[in-house]
Structure formats: C-alpha cells, structure tokens
Amino acid sequence: MKPSWDWKLTDLAAVRKNGRTVFSCFSCGGGSTMGYKLAGYQVLGNVEIDPQMMQIYRQNHNPRFSFLMPIQDFKRLPDAELPDELFNLDILDGSPPCSVFSMAGDREDKWGGEFAFREGQAVQRLDDLFFDFLDVAEKLRPRVIVAENVKGMIIGKARGFVSMVLSRLREIGYKPQLFLLNSATMGVPQKRERLFFVAARSDEEFLPLKLDINEPLVCYGEVRSGEGKPLNPERETYRRWMRKRPCDLSMGDITEREKGRASDFNTIILKDQKVSNTLASSSWFLRSDEPCRISDLDSIRIQTFPADYDFMDTDVSYVCGMSVPPLMMHRIAEQINQQWFATN
C-alpha cells in the first residue's frame, strides 16, 4: 500500500464525499484546499491576492467561486454579489499571512508596518489581516471557522494578539479552541508546528474538539528522491554547507542564530534518519551527504503535495513553503467531521 504522502490529484475522484462545504481565504496554492478534499469536503472556492498563486490554484482546483482580490475588498462586496452557497458554509478556512509573528528576525519591529510578500502584491498591514478574515466570518456566518498561523503567535508579546483574536471570535458569536499541532504527528514528513484556531458557531451543540493525532514519524530518507541542484563551491551557500554539515542540526541552528548569521539560520541540512525541518519558502534545504539542494520532488513529498500538481512556471519550493501541508489539514478536517458534523 502506498504511504499517505504519496498521492495524486486524480486520487480525489475516489474519495467518498461527506456533503460538507468549505470556502478558503488566503488560499495560496491550495494546501488546505487539498486537505479538505482528501477528507471528503467540497471546496467551493477561494480568495487570493496574488495573481500567480491564483493562476495555479485555478489550474489545479477548478473552483466554482474564485475571487482575485485583497481580503479587504472581498469583505466589502455586497451580499447580493456573493453566491448563496457562501452563506451556508460548513467551514470558512483561512491562513492569514503570518510573517510578522515568525520567530525569525526582529519581529516586534514589523508589527504595525505595511508589507507586500511578493512583487506585484498590494501592500498591507499584515497583522490586521486576521481581523479582516474574521470580518468575513461575521459576514458569512459559517458553522465552523478554521484558521492556521505560526507558533510565534503564542510566544512573548504576541500572546496579546492571540487574546484579541479569541475575544473577537467570541464577540461575533463563536466558541474558539486553540491547538498547537505538529505535522510530524500526522504522517507528514516534516516537523512543522502550527497554531490552529478552530471555532464553532455558538448555536452549534458540539462537544469540545479533540485533536490527539499521533501517527508514526516519516524521516527524510523515506521520501528522498531525484537529483538535487549542485552547489557552486565558489559560493557562500557551499561554505555554509561545509560549516553546518558536521553539526547537530538543532544546536547548530541555535548557535548560528545567536551569532546573528541569518543566512546560516536559513540553511537547513537534512539527514536521511531524521524528520525534515519546517519547509519554508525563504530557506535553503541541503542534503547532508552531498553538496546540493534537495530535489523538487523532495519538496513536494515533504509538504505532502500531490505528485501530479501543476506548478506551471512558479518555484516549487516557494509554493510548498507557503502552503499548509495537505495531509495535515486532511487529518484536522477529518476529525472535525467525525466529532462534530457527523454527530449533529
């Protein structure tokens, strides 16, 4: 039997549908979308600001209702201009951009600032986007809200922001729960800790959700495949590979971070016998036993993207690094259906 991380979009045709509907905000390449589909949900459509990401989303997911615009514009659309199906959702899903809460860099200096992730995107206050998403939730009134973000939101001063999010969820009529989950416990070949806000509408008589998922770990050697791009011995990345290769990964990363070597911190060495670190769009993932980057197929498998996903002309590592691992969302969505929807 194939491992769960080895799958194709064409496999979705055989998935038994559960009759539940989802709409995705900040959809990027559709990592969450694919997770819901694997769990049997119908994903009606999406909102995405990035034209290139929207192009590959539409190519791979063929959404019925697709909105290429900032979330602020979407929430201001008159109700009459939105399809009726969006006012009868089971789940409103969203991954508000979270770089201002990442533990990388001087994050507090970024709070309140305006940024664009990529050339061509609109400049936005990223720490406001979560509340724009909740404004959409207040407008559409789904049965359940699921929002994913980085672990850094519950560390240090950022915890005050989390309290504001939880208060806003209660204010608009939802009962929120907060989960810190590691994708490695869900069959994903990657140690990716993420915060999930799961909130049921107050009129839903659901018991508290439990997300105690503990599947066997999948090490890098199990998914490793293909040839990586060789490093140039004359470049700094090769020298970083030489410096970091003998070191224990976790201690090496901490040491380099304390020295202020941001470039070293973003250079990750993968060993066959260990689970991969978090796949990030800004990091260089190198193999420990040869001076090369990991292959595109490695990135696809580490992120549990389907083997037949059409990345078109986009960078594979960027799309994967910016997305929720589909298998991670599959496990969460599966539990929401089993514990909540299927019992009511």
Side-chain angles (χ1 to χ4, degrees), residues 26-218:
F26 314 103
S27 59
C28 194
S32 291
T33 289
M34 291 182 283
Y36 287 110
K37 289 182 176 181
L38 284 168
Y41 292 73
Q42 179 187 10
V43 181
L44 297 176
N46 68 315
V47 177
E48 171 58 47
I49 191 176
D50 188 314
Q52 190 178 38
M53 291 298 101
M54 180 62 92
Q55 183 182 29
I56 65 169
Y57 187 95
R58 288 171 174 169
Q59 174 72 11
N60 288 277
H61 307 300
N62 192 28
R64 286 177 59 194
F65 309 116
S66 190
F67 299 85
L68 176 60
M69 60 180 63
I71 192 77
Q72 299 91 342
D73 292 351
F74 178 76
K75 75 178 186 181
R76 287 192 287 266
L77 289 176
D79 290 358
E81 294 184 14
L82 295 175
D84 292 341
E85 290 93 330
L86 298 192
F87 294 93
N88 292 283
L89 291 170
D90 289 295
I91 295 179
L92 178 69
D93 167 79
S95 297
C98 52
S99 63
V100 291
F101 298 107
S102 169
M103 295 308 295
D106 299 321
R107 61 184 190 150
E108 284 86 353
D109 293 342
K110 300 176 184 177
W111 295 352
E114 295 187 337
F115 303 93
F117 272 115
R118 304 176 61 185
E119 184 178 354
Q121 280 194 15
V123 173
Q124 305 177 92
R125 274 184 49 136
L126 301 186
D127 35 344
D128 285 348
L129 295 180
F130 210 121
F131 295 99
D132 292 324
F133 170 68
L134 295 183
D135 289 343
V136 173
E138 185 178 28
K139 178 186 184 75
L140 300 182
R141 303 294 297 161
R143 298 177 70 190
V144 172
I145 301 166
V146 177
E148 175 260 0
N149 222 292
V150 294
K151 177 184 178 181
M153 285 187 71
I154 56 171
I155 296 175
K157 297 178 182 178
R159 286 178 293 185
F161 183 88
V162 172
S163 295
M164 293 169 62
V165 170
L166 295 174
S167 294
R168 177 61 176 152
L169 280 163
R170 296 186 186 101
E171 182 181 288
I172 64 175
Y174 285 82
K175 299 173 289 187
Q177 290 182 250
L178 196 58
F179 299 91
L180 179 62
L181 302 173
N182 192 328
S183 65
T185 69
M186 302 179 183
V188 178
Q190 175 187 169
K191 295 179 292 186
R192 190 184 194 95
E193 285 191 298
R194 286 295 183 265
L195 200 63
F196 283 84
F197 297 78
V198 183
R201 206 169 57 205
S202 296
D203 61 344
E204 298 285 354
E205 297 181 359
F206 297 148
L207 296 174
L209 185 68
K210 296 180 181 179
L211 293 177
D212 302 322
I213 306 168
N214 191 21
E215 298 187 15
L217 300 179
V218 181

Side-chain angles (χ1 to χ4, degrees), residues 253-314:
D253 283 351
I254 292 170
T255 300
E256 297 301 338
R257 177 66 184 274
E258 289 176 346
K259 291 179 182 177
R261 302 178 77 111
S263 59
D264 270 20
F265 183 70
N266 290 329
T267 301
I268 310 298
I269 309 292
L270 297 189
K271 296 182 178 180
D272 287 353
Q273 68 275 24
K274 292 189 175 183
V275 180
S276 169
N277 294 48
T278 301
L279 192 68
S281 59
S282 58
S283 296
W284 280 61
F285 275 62
L286 313 178
R287 291 173 173 171
S288 64
D289 56 354
E290 55 181 345
C292 69
R293 299 183 69 170
I294 64 173
S295 67
D296 282 347
L297 184 54
D298 285 348
S299 295
I300 290 167
R301 289 179 169 181
I302 288 170
Q303 197 68 7
T304 67
F305 262 56
D308 58 349
Y309 188 93
D310 186 356
F311 290 89
M312 304 179 75
D313 58 350
T314 57

Side-chain angles (χ1 to χ4, degrees), residues 231-236 238-239:
L231 302 179
N232 184 339
E234 303 300 320
R235 304 299 293 271
E236 177 60 26
Y238 181 87
R239 291 189 282 272

